[in-house]
Amino acid sequence: MKTMHYRIRVVVLALVVSLFAVILWTIKSAWLSSGDYSVMPAETLSVSPPVEPDPWSSPAPDPGETVSSFPGETTAPAMEMSLPSPDPLFDTTGL
Amino acid sequence: MKKRSSSRFRAGAMLLVFFAAAFLLPASRDGNAKLYLLSAVVPGVMLLLLLLPSRFFPLDRPSLCSALSLCGFSLLTTAAYSPDETLSQGFRCIAALFFLAAGVVLIRAFRPSVPSAALPAFCGLGLLSCSILFHDLPFSFTEGGMALVLFSAAAFLSLRLRLPALLAVLGALLLLLLQRDYGSAAVWGISCVLLFWVASDSPLWSGILFCSVGSLLGIFIGISPFSADPAGLSPLSRIAAMPLIPPESLPESSPLLPAEDLFFMFGEQYGLIILFCAVLLVILFLIRGASLAQHARKAFHAALALGVVLLIGLRMLLFLSSSAGLSPFSPGSFPFLTSSLPDLFSHFFLAGLLSGISARNENDLEEDARLAMLAR
Protein backbone atom coordinates (compact mmCIF):
# COMPACT_ATOMS: atom_id res chain seq x y z
CA MET A 1 0.00 0.00 0.00
CA LYS A 2 2.92 2.32 0.73
CA THR A 3 4.38 1.68 -2.73
CA MET A 4 0.95 2.29 -4.23
CA HIS A 5 0.63 5.65 -2.48
CA TYR A 6 4.11 6.63 -3.65
CA ARG A 7 3.24 5.70 -7.25
CA ILE A 8 -0.07 7.60 -7.05
CA ARG A 9 1.89 10.68 -6.02
CA VAL A 10 4.30 10.27 -8.94
CA VAL A 11 1.53 9.75 -11.51
CA VAL A 12 -0.58 12.69 -10.35
CA LEU A 13 2.45 14.98 -10.16
CA ALA A 14 3.40 14.04 -13.72
CA LEU A 15 -0.19 14.61 -14.87
CA VAL A 16 -0.46 18.06 -13.27
CA VAL A 17 2.97 19.14 -14.56
CA SER A 18 2.12 18.02 -18.10
CA LEU A 19 -1.25 19.83 -17.86
CA PHE A 20 0.47 23.09 -16.94
CA ALA A 21 3.06 22.53 -19.69
CA VAL A 22 0.30 22.05 -22.29
CA ILE A 23 -1.58 25.13 -20.99
CA LEU A 24 1.58 27.25 -21.33
CA TRP A 25 2.27 25.79 -24.78
CA THR A 26 -1.31 26.57 -25.87
CA ILE A 27 -1.03 30.15 -24.62
CA LYS A 28 2.33 30.57 -26.38
CA SER A 29 1.08 29.08 -29.66
CA ALA A 30 -2.15 31.10 -29.56
CA TRP A 31 -0.22 34.30 -28.83
CA LEU A 32 2.25 33.68 -31.65
CA SER A 33 -0.50 32.87 -34.13
CA SER A 34 -2.48 35.98 -33.13
CA GLY A 35 0.48 38.17 -34.16
CA ASP A 36 -0.12 40.73 -31.40
CA TYR A 37 3.22 41.41 -29.72
CA SER A 38 2.22 44.72 -28.15
CA VAL A 39 2.31 43.30 -24.62
CA MET A 40 5.92 42.18 -24.99
CA PRO A 41 8.42 44.38 -23.06
CA ALA A 42 10.45 46.65 -25.30
CA GLU A 43 13.82 45.29 -24.19
CA THR A 44 12.90 41.75 -25.21
CA LEU A 45 12.04 42.77 -28.74
CA SER A 46 14.85 42.18 -31.20
CA VAL A 47 15.51 45.56 -32.83
CA SER A 48 16.87 45.23 -36.34
CA PRO A 49 19.07 48.09 -37.66
CA PRO A 50 17.46 50.45 -40.21
CA VAL A 51 17.97 49.18 -43.71
CA GLU A 52 19.50 51.72 -46.04
CA PRO A 53 18.33 51.61 -49.64
CA ASP A 54 20.81 49.93 -51.90
CA PRO A 55 21.61 52.41 -54.67
CA TRP A 56 22.81 49.63 -56.99
CA SER A 57 19.46 47.95 -56.94
CA SER A 58 17.53 50.88 -58.41
CA PRO A 59 14.96 49.99 -61.05
CA ALA A 60 16.07 49.82 -64.65
CA PRO A 61 15.81 53.20 -66.42
CA ASP A 62 13.47 53.76 -69.29
CA PRO A 63 15.03 53.70 -72.72
CA GLY A 64 16.26 57.16 -73.75
CA GLU A 65 16.55 58.48 -70.22
CA THR A 66 19.93 59.92 -69.21
CA VAL A 67 21.29 58.58 -65.98
CA SER A 68 24.33 59.59 -64.06
CA SER A 69 27.29 57.28 -64.12
CA PHE A 70 27.56 57.03 -60.32
CA PRO A 71 24.89 55.81 -57.98
CA GLY A 72 23.23 58.44 -55.84
CA GLU A 73 24.41 61.32 -58.04
CA THR A 74 21.68 63.75 -58.93
CA THR A 75 21.52 66.02 -61.91
CA ALA A 76 19.30 68.60 -60.21
CA PRO A 77 20.87 72.05 -59.61
CA ALA A 78 22.27 72.64 -56.18
CA MET A 79 19.96 74.48 -53.79
CA GLU A 80 21.20 77.85 -52.55
CA MET A 81 21.41 78.16 -48.81
CA SER A 82 19.84 81.36 -47.49
CA LEU A 83 20.16 82.55 -43.92
CA PRO A 84 17.02 83.79 -42.15
CA SER A 85 16.72 87.55 -41.69
CA PRO A 86 17.71 88.70 -38.19
CA ASP A 87 14.98 89.52 -35.75
CA PRO A 88 14.90 93.32 -35.12
CA LEU A 89 14.13 92.78 -31.45
CA PHE A 90 17.37 90.91 -30.91
CA ASP A 91 19.46 93.02 -33.25
CA THR A 92 22.67 93.87 -31.38
CA THR A 93 24.60 95.44 -34.28
CA GLY A 94 23.71 98.97 -33.19
CA LEU A 95 25.12 98.55 -29.69
CA MET B 1 -12.52 23.92 13.03
CA LYS B 2 -14.57 27.11 13.30
CA LYS B 3 -11.96 28.99 11.25
CA ARG B 4 -12.09 26.26 8.56
CA SER B 5 -15.90 26.39 8.32
CA SER B 6 -15.89 30.20 8.12
CA SER B 7 -13.37 30.09 5.25
CA ARG B 8 -15.57 27.52 3.49
CA PHE B 9 -18.59 29.78 4.00
CA ARG B 10 -16.65 32.73 2.57
CA ALA B 11 -15.55 30.73 -0.50
CA GLY B 12 -19.13 29.57 -1.12
CA ALA B 13 -20.49 33.09 -0.75
CA MET B 14 -17.86 34.45 -3.17
CA LEU B 15 -18.82 31.77 -5.70
CA LEU B 16 -22.51 32.67 -5.52
CA VAL B 17 -21.82 36.42 -5.75
CA PHE B 18 -19.57 35.80 -8.77
CA PHE B 19 -22.33 33.92 -10.61
CA ALA B 20 -24.96 36.53 -9.74
CA ALA B 21 -22.67 39.27 -11.09
CA ALA B 22 -21.74 37.22 -14.15
CA PHE B 23 -25.41 36.90 -15.13
CA LEU B 24 -26.15 40.54 -14.30
CA LEU B 25 -23.40 41.76 -16.66
CA PRO B 26 -24.99 40.52 -19.93
CA ALA B 27 -28.48 41.29 -18.51
CA SER B 28 -27.63 44.98 -18.03
CA ARG B 29 -25.87 45.07 -21.42
CA ASP B 30 -28.79 43.60 -23.36
CA GLY B 31 -31.65 44.61 -21.06
CA ASN B 32 -32.96 41.04 -21.18
CA ALA B 33 -35.54 40.21 -18.47
CA LYS B 34 -34.77 36.46 -18.68
CA LEU B 35 -31.13 37.09 -17.88
CA TYR B 36 -32.12 39.19 -14.84
CA LEU B 37 -34.23 36.24 -13.69
CA LEU B 38 -31.34 33.84 -14.26
CA SER B 39 -29.01 36.02 -12.19
CA ALA B 40 -31.23 35.25 -9.20
CA VAL B 41 -32.25 31.66 -10.04
CA VAL B 42 -28.84 30.14 -10.86
CA PRO B 43 -27.03 31.19 -7.63
CA GLY B 44 -30.14 30.23 -5.63
CA VAL B 45 -30.26 26.73 -7.15
CA MET B 46 -26.52 26.35 -6.63
CA LEU B 47 -26.91 27.30 -2.97
CA LEU B 48 -29.69 24.74 -2.55
CA LEU B 49 -27.62 22.05 -4.25
CA LEU B 50 -24.65 22.81 -2.02
CA LEU B 51 -26.75 22.66 1.16
CA LEU B 52 -29.62 20.21 0.67
CA PRO B 53 -28.16 17.02 -0.91
CA SER B 54 -25.37 16.91 1.68
CA ARG B 55 -28.10 16.31 4.29
CA PHE B 56 -28.98 13.01 2.61
CA PHE B 57 -25.69 11.94 0.99
CA PRO B 58 -22.15 12.27 2.29
CA LEU B 59 -20.92 14.57 -0.48
CA ASP B 60 -17.40 15.80 -0.98
CA ARG B 61 -17.82 19.60 -0.93
CA PRO B 62 -14.64 20.61 -2.89
CA SER B 63 -15.34 18.30 -5.83
CA LEU B 64 -19.06 19.20 -5.79
CA CYS B 65 -18.18 22.94 -5.79
CA SER B 66 -15.80 22.49 -8.75
CA ALA B 67 -18.38 20.49 -10.72
CA LEU B 68 -21.20 22.96 -9.97
CA SER B 69 -19.01 25.94 -10.90
CA LEU B 70 -18.15 24.36 -14.25
CA CYS B 71 -21.87 23.73 -14.82
CA GLY B 72 -22.48 27.39 -13.95
CA PHE B 73 -19.92 28.36 -16.61
CA SER B 74 -21.77 26.25 -19.19
CA LEU B 75 -25.02 28.03 -18.22
CA LEU B 76 -23.31 31.40 -18.59
CA THR B 77 -22.14 30.47 -22.08
CA THR B 78 -25.59 29.46 -23.26
CA ALA B 79 -27.31 32.38 -21.50
CA ALA B 80 -25.51 34.98 -23.56
CA TYR B 81 -26.65 33.45 -26.86
CA SER B 82 -30.00 31.96 -26.05
CA PRO B 83 -31.63 32.33 -22.61
CA ASP B 84 -34.10 29.57 -23.55
CA GLU B 85 -31.26 27.13 -24.17
CA THR B 86 -30.01 27.92 -20.64
CA LEU B 87 -33.13 26.38 -19.17
CA SER B 88 -32.53 23.05 -20.96
CA GLN B 89 -28.84 23.12 -20.02
CA GLY B 90 -29.88 23.75 -16.39
CA PHE B 91 -32.18 20.72 -16.49
CA ARG B 92 -29.35 18.65 -17.94
CA CYS B 93 -27.10 19.67 -15.04
CA ILE B 94 -29.77 18.91 -12.44
CA ALA B 95 -30.46 15.50 -14.04
CA ALA B 96 -26.72 14.79 -13.96
CA LEU B 97 -26.77 15.36 -10.19
CA PHE B 98 -28.81 12.16 -9.84
CA PHE B 99 -25.85 10.29 -11.31
CA LEU B 100 -23.62 11.94 -8.70
CA ALA B 101 -25.90 10.51 -6.03
CA ALA B 102 -25.81 7.13 -7.84
CA GLY B 103 -22.01 7.13 -7.66
CA VAL B 104 -22.09 7.85 -3.90
CA VAL B 105 -24.62 5.07 -3.25
CA LEU B 106 -22.67 2.61 -5.39
CA ILE B 107 -19.47 3.19 -3.41
CA ARG B 108 -21.30 2.80 -0.10
CA ALA B 109 -23.03 -0.42 -1.14
CA PHE B 110 -20.25 -2.07 -3.12
CA ARG B 111 -18.18 -4.94 -1.70
CA PRO B 112 -15.55 -6.22 -4.15
CA SER B 113 -16.20 -9.81 -5.25
CA VAL B 114 -15.91 -11.61 -8.58
CA PRO B 115 -19.62 -11.38 -9.62
CA SER B 116 -19.99 -7.78 -8.41
CA ALA B 117 -16.83 -6.80 -10.29
CA ALA B 118 -17.85 -8.62 -13.48
CA LEU B 119 -21.32 -7.04 -13.70
CA PRO B 120 -20.16 -3.42 -14.32
CA ALA B 121 -17.66 -4.73 -16.89
CA PHE B 122 -20.46 -6.37 -18.90
CA CYS B 123 -22.67 -3.27 -18.60
CA GLY B 124 -19.80 -1.01 -19.69
CA LEU B 125 -18.85 -3.20 -22.65
CA GLY B 126 -22.54 -3.32 -23.62
CA LEU B 127 -22.75 0.49 -23.59
CA LEU B 128 -19.56 0.74 -25.65
CA SER B 129 -20.86 -1.73 -28.24
CA CYS B 130 -24.16 0.24 -28.57
CA SER B 131 -22.48 2.82 -30.80
CA ILE B 132 -21.18 0.06 -33.10
CA LEU B 133 -24.43 -1.93 -33.27
CA PHE B 134 -26.80 1.04 -33.63
CA HIS B 135 -25.32 3.63 -35.97
CA ASP B 136 -28.21 6.11 -35.84
CA LEU B 137 -28.14 6.68 -32.07
CA PRO B 138 -28.39 10.38 -31.16
CA PHE B 139 -26.19 9.87 -28.08
CA SER B 140 -22.79 8.35 -27.55
CA PHE B 141 -22.44 6.22 -24.42
CA THR B 142 -18.67 6.04 -24.70
CA GLU B 143 -17.83 7.87 -21.48
CA GLY B 144 -20.42 6.01 -19.41
CA GLY B 145 -19.10 2.69 -20.68
CA MET B 146 -15.53 3.72 -19.90
CA ALA B 147 -16.53 4.71 -16.34
CA LEU B 148 -18.20 1.34 -15.70
CA VAL B 149 -15.29 -0.71 -17.09
CA LEU B 150 -12.89 1.39 -15.00
CA PHE B 151 -14.95 0.58 -11.90
CA SER B 152 -14.78 -3.11 -12.75
CA ALA B 153 -11.02 -3.04 -13.48
CA ALA B 154 -10.34 -1.32 -10.13
CA ALA B 155 -12.42 -4.00 -8.34
CA PHE B 156 -10.58 -6.85 -10.11
CA LEU B 157 -7.20 -5.28 -9.35
CA SER B 158 -8.10 -4.92 -5.66
CA LEU B 159 -8.98 -8.66 -5.66
CA ARG B 160 -5.57 -9.36 -7.29
CA LEU B 161 -7.34 -10.83 -10.35
CA ARG B 162 -5.23 -9.22 -13.02
CA LEU B 163 -6.24 -11.35 -16.02
CA PRO B 164 -9.99 -10.45 -15.89
CA ALA B 165 -9.02 -6.79 -15.38
CA LEU B 166 -6.70 -6.97 -18.39
CA LEU B 167 -9.40 -8.61 -20.54
CA ALA B 168 -12.03 -6.00 -19.57
CA VAL B 169 -9.62 -3.14 -20.31
CA LEU B 170 -8.51 -4.58 -23.66
CA GLY B 171 -12.13 -5.34 -24.65
CA ALA B 172 -13.10 -1.72 -24.00
CA LEU B 173 -10.08 -0.49 -25.94
CA LEU B 174 -10.94 -2.70 -28.92
CA LEU B 175 -14.54 -1.40 -28.95
CA LEU B 176 -13.32 2.22 -28.80
CA LEU B 177 -10.98 1.59 -31.70
CA LEU B 178 -13.76 -0.07 -33.70
CA GLN B 179 -15.85 3.09 -33.14
CA ARG B 180 -12.85 5.05 -34.57
CA ASP B 181 -12.87 7.18 -31.45
CA TYR B 182 -9.09 7.37 -31.32
CA GLY B 183 -8.97 10.24 -28.80
CA SER B 184 -10.99 8.31 -26.22
CA ALA B 185 -9.01 5.14 -27.03
CA ALA B 186 -5.72 6.94 -26.35
CA VAL B 187 -7.06 8.37 -23.06
CA TRP B 188 -8.38 4.96 -22.03
CA GLY B 189 -5.19 3.09 -22.96
CA ILE B 190 -2.81 5.48 -21.16
CA SER B 191 -5.09 5.63 -18.07
CA CYS B 192 -5.23 1.84 -17.79
CA VAL B 193 -1.48 1.34 -18.27
CA LEU B 194 -0.80 3.84 -15.46
CA LEU B 195 -3.51 2.27 -13.27
CA PHE B 196 -1.98 -1.19 -13.74
CA TRP B 197 1.48 0.18 -12.93
CA VAL B 198 0.19 1.72 -9.69
CA ALA B 199 -2.18 -1.02 -8.53
CA SER B 200 -0.43 -4.26 -9.52
CA ASP B 201 2.65 -5.27 -7.57
CA SER B 202 4.54 -6.89 -10.42
CA PRO B 203 5.67 -4.80 -13.40
CA LEU B 204 4.95 -7.80 -15.70
CA TRP B 205 1.22 -7.01 -16.00
CA SER B 206 1.71 -3.32 -16.68
CA GLY B 207 4.33 -4.32 -19.30
CA ILE B 208 1.88 -6.72 -20.98
CA LEU B 209 -0.84 -4.06 -21.01
CA PHE B 210 1.57 -1.39 -22.29
CA CYS B 211 2.62 -3.61 -25.23
CA SER B 212 -1.01 -4.58 -26.02
CA VAL B 213 -2.29 -0.99 -25.91
CA GLY B 214 0.63 0.28 -27.99
CA SER B 215 0.25 -2.40 -30.66
CA LEU B 216 -3.58 -2.03 -30.87
CA LEU B 217 -3.35 1.77 -31.18
CA GLY B 218 -0.56 1.45 -33.74
CA ILE B 219 -2.44 -1.11 -35.86
CA PHE B 220 -5.75 0.78 -35.91
CA ILE B 221 -4.29 4.23 -36.48
CA GLY B 222 -2.03 2.78 -39.18
CA ILE B 223 -5.01 1.19 -40.98
CA SER B 224 -7.14 4.33 -41.06
CA PRO B 225 -5.05 7.40 -40.27
CA PHE B 226 -6.57 10.48 -38.78
CA SER B 227 -7.51 13.16 -41.30
CA ALA B 228 -8.07 16.70 -40.16
CA ASP B 229 -11.13 18.57 -41.34
CA PRO B 230 -9.75 21.35 -43.55
CA ALA B 231 -13.07 23.22 -43.74
CA GLY B 232 -13.44 24.00 -40.05
CA LEU B 233 -11.69 26.78 -38.13
CA SER B 234 -8.74 25.36 -36.19
CA PRO B 235 -9.08 25.37 -32.37
CA LEU B 236 -5.78 27.22 -31.97
CA SER B 237 -6.93 30.10 -34.16
CA ARG B 238 -10.12 30.30 -32.06
CA ILE B 239 -8.06 30.50 -28.86
CA ALA B 240 -5.78 33.10 -30.50
CA ALA B 241 -8.81 35.25 -31.33
CA MET B 242 -10.09 35.15 -27.73
CA PRO B 243 -9.80 38.39 -25.75
CA LEU B 244 -8.06 38.47 -22.37
CA ILE B 245 -11.03 40.03 -20.57
CA PRO B 246 -14.76 39.88 -21.39
CA PRO B 247 -15.44 41.94 -24.53
CA GLU B 248 -18.01 44.73 -24.80
CA SER B 249 -20.15 42.99 -27.39
CA LEU B 250 -20.82 39.33 -28.06
CA PRO B 251 -18.93 37.66 -30.90
CA GLU B 252 -21.09 36.34 -33.71
CA SER B 253 -21.55 32.62 -33.38
CA SER B 254 -23.96 29.88 -34.20
CA PRO B 255 -26.85 29.47 -31.73
CA LEU B 256 -26.44 25.69 -32.06
CA LEU B 257 -24.17 24.36 -29.37
CA PRO B 258 -22.07 21.35 -30.27
CA ALA B 259 -20.75 19.66 -27.12
CA GLU B 260 -17.07 20.41 -27.71
CA ASP B 261 -17.80 23.97 -28.82
CA LEU B 262 -19.00 25.12 -25.40
CA PHE B 263 -15.40 25.44 -24.18
CA PHE B 264 -14.38 27.69 -27.08
CA MET B 265 -17.60 29.72 -26.94
CA PHE B 266 -17.03 30.29 -23.24
CA GLY B 267 -13.53 31.61 -23.97
CA GLU B 268 -14.77 33.84 -26.78
CA GLN B 269 -17.35 35.42 -24.50
CA TYR B 270 -15.53 35.76 -21.20
CA GLY B 271 -11.90 35.94 -22.25
CA LEU B 272 -8.82 33.87 -21.66
CA ILE B 273 -8.44 34.75 -17.97
CA ILE B 274 -11.82 33.30 -16.93
CA LEU B 275 -11.25 30.34 -19.26
CA PHE B 276 -7.97 29.70 -17.46
CA CYS B 277 -9.89 29.82 -14.14
CA ALA B 278 -12.22 27.09 -15.48
CA VAL B 279 -9.21 24.94 -16.40
CA LEU B 280 -7.77 25.56 -12.92
CA LEU B 281 -11.05 24.38 -11.36
CA VAL B 282 -10.69 21.02 -13.12
CA ILE B 283 -7.06 20.81 -11.95
CA LEU B 284 -8.22 21.46 -8.36
CA PHE B 285 -10.80 18.69 -8.82
CA LEU B 286 -7.99 16.36 -9.94
CA ILE B 287 -5.77 17.29 -7.00
CA ARG B 288 -8.67 16.63 -4.64
CA GLY B 289 -9.18 13.21 -6.23
CA ALA B 290 -5.48 12.43 -5.90
CA SER B 291 -5.57 13.38 -2.22
CA LEU B 292 -8.55 11.04 -1.71
CA ALA B 293 -6.61 8.24 -3.43
CA GLN B 294 -3.65 8.93 -1.14
CA HIS B 295 -5.75 8.72 2.02
CA ALA B 296 -7.85 5.71 0.99
CA ARG B 297 -7.50 2.75 3.32
CA LYS B 298 -8.53 0.07 0.80
CA ALA B 299 -6.78 -0.73 -2.47
CA PHE B 300 -10.11 -0.66 -4.35
CA HIS B 301 -10.87 2.92 -3.30
CA ALA B 302 -7.32 4.09 -4.04
CA ALA B 303 -7.29 2.47 -7.48
CA LEU B 304 -10.75 3.79 -8.35
CA ALA B 305 -9.96 7.36 -7.25
CA LEU B 306 -6.75 7.28 -9.26
CA GLY B 307 -8.62 5.91 -12.28
CA VAL B 308 -11.17 8.75 -12.08
CA VAL B 309 -8.37 11.33 -11.83
CA LEU B 310 -6.51 9.79 -14.78
CA LEU B 311 -9.62 9.52 -16.97
CA ILE B 312 -10.64 13.16 -16.43
CA GLY B 313 -7.09 14.56 -16.35
CA LEU B 314 -5.91 12.80 -19.50
CA ARG B 315 -9.11 13.77 -21.30
CA MET B 316 -8.44 17.42 -20.47
CA LEU B 317 -4.76 17.04 -21.39
CA LEU B 318 -5.61 15.58 -24.80
CA PHE B 319 -8.33 18.21 -25.36
CA LEU B 320 -5.88 21.05 -24.68
CA SER B 321 -3.05 19.46 -26.64
CA SER B 322 -5.30 18.91 -29.65
CA SER B 323 -6.33 22.59 -29.36
CA ALA B 324 -2.65 23.57 -29.39
CA GLY B 325 -2.01 21.35 -32.41
CA LEU B 326 0.19 18.95 -30.44
CA SER B 327 -2.10 15.94 -30.88
CA PRO B 328 -4.17 14.93 -33.94
CA PHE B 329 -6.90 13.36 -31.78
CA SER B 330 -9.62 15.18 -29.91
CA PRO B 331 -11.27 13.16 -27.12
CA GLY B 332 -14.62 14.96 -27.44
CA SER B 333 -15.88 17.35 -24.83
CA PHE B 334 -14.16 19.21 -22.00
CA PRO B 335 -14.93 17.76 -18.53
CA PHE B 336 -18.20 19.20 -17.08
CA LEU B 337 -18.23 22.08 -19.62
CA THR B 338 -20.36 20.31 -22.19
CA SER B 339 -23.90 20.25 -23.48
CA SER B 340 -23.86 16.49 -24.19
CA LEU B 341 -26.20 14.75 -21.75
CA PRO B 342 -24.45 11.31 -21.59
CA ASP B 343 -21.06 13.02 -21.11
CA LEU B 344 -22.46 15.14 -18.26
CA PHE B 345 -23.97 12.02 -16.68
CA SER B 346 -20.68 10.15 -16.77
CA HIS B 347 -18.66 13.15 -15.47
CA PHE B 348 -21.04 13.55 -12.52
CA PHE B 349 -21.02 9.79 -11.94
CA LEU B 350 -17.22 9.94 -11.66
CA ALA B 351 -17.50 12.93 -9.28
CA GLY B 352 -20.01 10.89 -7.25
CA LEU B 353 -17.53 8.02 -6.99
CA LEU B 354 -14.97 10.47 -5.57
CA SER B 355 -17.58 11.78 -3.11
CA GLY B 356 -18.33 8.24 -1.97
CA ILE B 357 -14.63 7.50 -1.47
CA SER B 358 -14.29 10.72 0.52
CA ALA B 359 -17.14 9.61 2.79
CA ARG B 360 -15.52 6.19 3.29
CA ASN B 361 -12.21 7.86 4.18
CA GLU B 362 -13.95 10.03 6.79
CA ASN B 363 -15.67 6.95 8.24
CA ASP B 364 -12.30 5.20 8.47
CA LEU B 365 -10.77 8.20 10.26
CA GLU B 366 -13.66 8.30 12.75
CA GLU B 367 -13.26 4.57 13.36
CA ASP B 368 -9.53 5.07 13.98
CA ALA B 369 -10.24 7.85 16.47
CA ARG B 370 -12.80 5.65 18.28
CA LEU B 371 -10.35 2.73 18.49
CA ALA B 372 -7.61 5.04 19.76
CA MET B 373 -9.95 6.29 22.51
CA LEU B 374 -10.85 2.70 23.49
CA ALA B 375 -7.16 1.76 23.61
CA ARG B 376 -6.51 4.52 26.16
Side-chain angles (χ1 to χ4, degrees):
Chain A
M1 204 67 184
K2 202 173 178 182
T3 317
M4 192 174 175
H5 285 164
Y6 170 72
R7 287 180 178 178
I8 287 172
R9 211 176 297 166
V10 170
V11 166
V12 174
L13 190 68
L15 179 67
V16 172
V17 167
S18 49
L19 270 172
F20 274 108
V22 169
I23 289 168
L24 288 178
W25 183 268
T26 311
I27 291 171
K28 184 211 131 199
S29 316
W31 182 58
L32 283 181
S33 68
S34 72
D36 178 18
Y37 306 107
S38 56
V39 288
M40 188 186 262
E43 58 265 21
T44 57
L45 285 169
S46 60
V47 179
S48 56
V51 180
E52 292 196 7
D54 185 8
W56 294 100
S57 62
S58 56
D62 294 333
E65 186 188 343
T66 55
V67 290
S68 65
S69 48
F70 292 102
E73 190 180 326
T74 55
T75 52
M79 297 285 285
E80 280 190 24
M81 299 286 284
S82 59
L83 290 169
S85 58
D87 197 334
L89 280 175
F90 298 97
D91 189 10
T92 54
T93 50
L95 292 175
Chain B
M1 194 72 184
K2 197 177 175 184
K3 197 175 177 183
R4 204 174 158 194
S5 64
S6 72
S7 67
R8 275 182 191 172
F9 174 77
R10 228 175 287 151
M14 274 174 63
L15 188 74
L16 296 178
V17 168
F18 168 78
F19 276 106
F23 275 100
L24 277 175
L25 192 76
S28 59
R29 189 172 54 199
D30 302 342
N32 193 327
K34 284 180 183 170
L35 289 176
Y36 277 115
L37 190 68
L38 282 171
S39 69
V41 168
V42 172
V45 171
M46 282 177 81
L47 180 66
L48 280 179
L49 290 176
L50 281 173
L51 293 178
L52 273 186
S54 57
R55 304 261 174 209
F56 308 108
F57 298 103
L59 291 175
D60 184 43
R61 285 278 172 81
S63 47
L64 181 67
C65 264
S66 319
L68 281 181
S69 307
L70 286 161
C71 281
F73 285 147
S74 70
L75 291 176
L76 271 175
T77 311
T78 49
Y81 286 110
S82 149
D84 296 329
E85 176 68 22
T86 313
L87 197 64
S88 52
Q89 177 69 11
F91 280 125
R92 276 183 217 127
C93 293
I94 288 172
L97 277 171
F98 287 101
F99 279 78
L100 186 131
V104 175
V105 170
L106 189 62
I107 287 290
R108 282 178 77 85
F110 189 78
R111 300 281 177 274
S113 65
V114 176
S116 63
L119 186 65
F122 283 115
C123 294
L125 292 173
L127 282 180
L128 285 174
S129 52
C130 270
S131 303
I132 301 169
L133 296 174
F134 310 106
H135 292 285
D136 49 353
L137 274 179
F139 298 121
S140 161
F141 298 108
T142 307
E143 297 209 19
M146 283 161 71
L148 285 174
V149 180
L150 174 79
F151 188 90
S152 166
F156 277 129
L157 282 174
S158 69
L159 293 169
R160 295 181 179 272
L161 296 169
R162 284 148 197 150
L163 189 62
L166 188 80
L167 289 176
V169 162
L170 287 180
L173 181 71
L174 198 64
L175 288 172
L176 286 172
L177 287 171
L178 286 172
Q179 289 177 29
R180 299 193 176 193
D181 190 354
Y182 297 134
S184 299
V187 167
W188 176 250
I190 298 167
S191 303
C192 291
V193 168
L194 290 172
L195 186 65
F196 262 69
W197 179 65
V198 170
S200 65
D201 296 332
S202 72
L204 175 72
W205 290 94
S206 43
I208 292 171
L209 187 63
F210 179 75
C211 295
S212 319
V213 167
S215 53
L216 274 175
L217 281 175
I219 289 168
F220 271 83
I221 294 168
I223 288 170
S224 53
F226 175 82
S227 61
D229 181 19
L233 193 61
S234 79
L236 187 63
S237 56
R238 289 187 76 172
I239 293 177
M242 285 176 192
L244 269 182
I245 52 170
E248 287 290 321
S249 60
L250 278 178
E252 283 182 18
S253 182
S254 163
L256 297 171
L257 298 172
E260 62 270 18
D261 253 22
L262 215 58
F263 175 81
F264 296 107
M265 286 170 72
F266 179 66
E268 282 160 6
Q269 282 177 44
Y270 294 98
L272 276 174
I273 292 174
I274 298 182
L275 187 71
F276 184 65
C277 291
V279 173
L280 273 185
L281 268 176
V282 182
I283 293 178
L284 286 179
F285 178 84
L286 298 178
I287 291 172
R288 175 67 184 165
S291 134
L292 292 174
Q294 277 274 318
H295 294 104
R297 197 64 57 83
K298 289 179 182 166
F300 168 62
H301 294 146
L304 186 60
L306 180 71
V308 170
V309 167
L310 283 173
L311 217 56
I312 293 182
L314 286 173
R315 181 167 288 278
M316 190 169 79
L317 185 71
L318 206 64
F319 186 92
L320 291 175
S321 55
S322 70
S323 306
L326 292 171
S327 155
F329 314 117
S330 177
S333 54
F334 192 80
F336 298 104
L337 200 57
T338 174
S339 58
S340 160
L341 195 63
D343 290 1
L344 263 181
F345 284 172
S346 72
H347 295 157
F348 270 88
F349 178 68
L350 293 174
L353 294 180
L354 283 187
S355 281
I357 293 167
S358 162
R360 292 299 290 260
N361 286 354
E362 282 175 14
N363 284 351
D364 288 342
L365 284 176
E366 282 171 12
E367 185 69 19
D368 284 355
R370 197 178 64 82
L371 288 174
M373 276 189 70
L374 286 175
R376 277 180 206 164

